[in-house]
Amino acid sequence: EGEDFPRQKNFYDSNLSVLKEFSPNLAVKLENKMISEKYTIGTTAVGSLTVKANIQGKSFYLHSNNNPLAEAEQWIEEYYNPEAGSYVVYGIGLGYHIQALYDRVKGCRIDVVESDYEMLKHALTYFDFSSMVSNNVYIHYDPDFSVMKEKLNDQSICFLIHYPSMRLIKKKDIQERIKQIFIANSSFLNIRKKMQLNFVNNIKNCTNYVDELADVFDGKDVYIIAAGPSLDKNLDLLKSKPKNSIILAVGAVFKKLLAKKIDIDYVIISDA
């Protein structure tokens, strides 16, 4: 019962055939190695497959054991960035979230990075990647994280992390670094909608644009004052503001500067 994704369906040969054409180096790495029983493949309530990791006496699912397809759609709703031109996804899982992203951003390049060899082989066995690999989806086996490091240096790429896959990383220092990236990305995404709503409302009430200040700032020294230990040491220096200069304060220090009777010209407040 359920969708036509039966347990016995094996996509490995067809996936490998396409990889030989589009990613021959990866295909060579995948041909011979055996895999252990670290992962358990099982059927979900809707008939599609899920995978459970068994690591150091602990078990957890990489996808919902109820409806991984719906879970993948929810993941995309949360992490999709309409402004991104290309994506890097850490963690291949069984491919549901990759397929959901591919369906949403057709035409964009998607690089999938996976450091766990066994998970990669399971993904290629139980999920059909052939059409995606033929159309701008690039799968990387990256045990030393060199590919991911290179991708992270490109600020134009939208970097997404499949959280359950992150838990599979053996090297704790690397896992911790990726976790910090995940937390930073999640924090931004959590406030993104609020920021967009605020922008829409603010722009309705905005009668001026920052461009109008160009002549005011032209040829002057601008002191941008932000919070930090050095501020307390140098507060008194700001009282004797040099001629032909401007003091621009961020919101976090505005009241402190006012209390010290420092002559502030402009304040920047950025609040989601």
Side-chain angles (χ1 to χ4, degrees):
E1 296 294 325
E3 301 175 6
D4 64 351
F5 206 126
R7 170 69 186 270
Q8 65 270 23
K9 187 74 173 178
N10 190 314
F11 297 101
Y12 192 76
D13 289 340
S14 58
N15 281 327
L16 196 62
S17 176
V18 176
L19 284 171
K20 284 179 179 178
E21 179 180 354
F22 291 93
S23 298
N25 291 336
L26 176 61
V28 170
K29 293 176 184 177
L30 290 168
E31 279 191 303
N32 300 317
K33 273 191 180 179
M34 300 294 291
I35 59 176
S36 68
E37 299 300 320
K38 189 166 69 175
Y39 299 102
T40 302
I41 306 297
T43 307
T44 66
V46 296
S48 51
L49 301 181
T50 189
V51 57
K52 182 167 68 173
N54 311 291
I55 300 174
Q56 296 179 345
K58 295 182 180 179
S59 298
F60 59 90
Y61 285 98
L62 271 72
H63 300 287
S64 166
N65 62 347
N66 180 34
N67 190 336
L69 303 174
E71 179 190 58
E73 288 299 327
Q74 184 178 354
W75 186 81
I76 288 303
E77 288 302 322
E78 188 171 350
Y79 291 105
Y80 166 64
N81 181 356
E83 298 175 2
S86 60
Y87 291 82
V88 171
V89 181
Y90 178 77
I92 194 168
L94 283 186
Y96 297 110
H97 55 298
I98 309 299
Q99 182 72 59
L101 179 61
Y102 172 78
D103 290 341
R104 181 69 65 91
V105 301
K106 279 188 175 171
C108 290
R109 178 182 174 117
I110 300 173
D111 286 272
V112 183
V113 180
E114 179 55 63
S115 63
D116 189 294
Y117 184 84
E118 294 178 45
M119 190 64 250
L120 183 56
K121 290 205 78 167
H122 279 303
L124 294 171
T125 299
Y126 294 109
F127 199 89
D128 186 3
F129 287 91
S130 57
S131 62
M132 289 190 284
V133 170
S134 303
N135 291 281
N136 280 340
V137 174
Y138 300 84
I139 299 173
H140 306 271
Y141 171 51
D142 191 28
D144 60 359
F145 295 88
S146 58
V147 173
M148 194 167 70
K149 183 178 180 181
E150 178 187 341
K151 298 295 181 184
L152 279 171
N153 288 329
D154 189 340
Q155 299 299 314
S156 66
I157 294 174
C158 181
F159 187 66
L160 304 181
I161 297 171
H162 183 238
Y163 185 82
S165 296
M166 182 186 71
R167 297 178 62 186
L168 303 175
I169 298 173
K170 296 175 182 177
K171 296 180 179 179
K172 292 301 177 185
D173 58 330
I174 294 178
Q175 186 186 79
E176 188 58 35
R177 290 181 194 177
I178 295 177
K179 187 181 293 185
Q180 291 304 317
I181 296 170
F182 175 81
I183 291 171
N185 286 352
S186 298
S187 298
F188 169 73
L189 291 166
N190 286 338
I191 64 173
R192 181 173 61 182
K193 290 181 180 178
K194 188 179 286 186
M195 290 180 74
Q196 291 170 338
L197 181 63
N198 278 359
F199 175 78
V200 169
N201 284 282
N202 285 336
I203 207 70
K204 292 176 183 176
N205 299 296
C206 180
T207 55
N208 300 83
Y209 290 89
V210 71
D211 311 58
E212 299 169 28
L213 298 176
D215 292 337
V216 178
F217 280 73
D218 188 34
K220 295 183 180 178
D221 295 323
V222 179
Y223 297 87
I224 302 175
I225 315 302
S230 61
L231 176 60
D232 293 329
K233 298 176 184 177
N234 297 287
L235 267 175
D236 291 334
L237 292 175
L238 295 173
K239 289 182 179 179
S240 53
K241 183 176 73 170
K243 291 183 179 180
N244 206 37
S245 65
I246 289 174
I247 288 183
L248 192 157
V250 302
V253 300
F254 179 52
K255 289 183 178 180
K256 179 179 283 192
L257 298 185
L258 280 182
K260 288 286 186 177
K261 295 183 167 47
I262 291 170
D263 185 13
I264 306 167
D265 295 289
Y266 296 95
V267 182
I268 284 190
I269 295 177
S270 178
D271 182 3

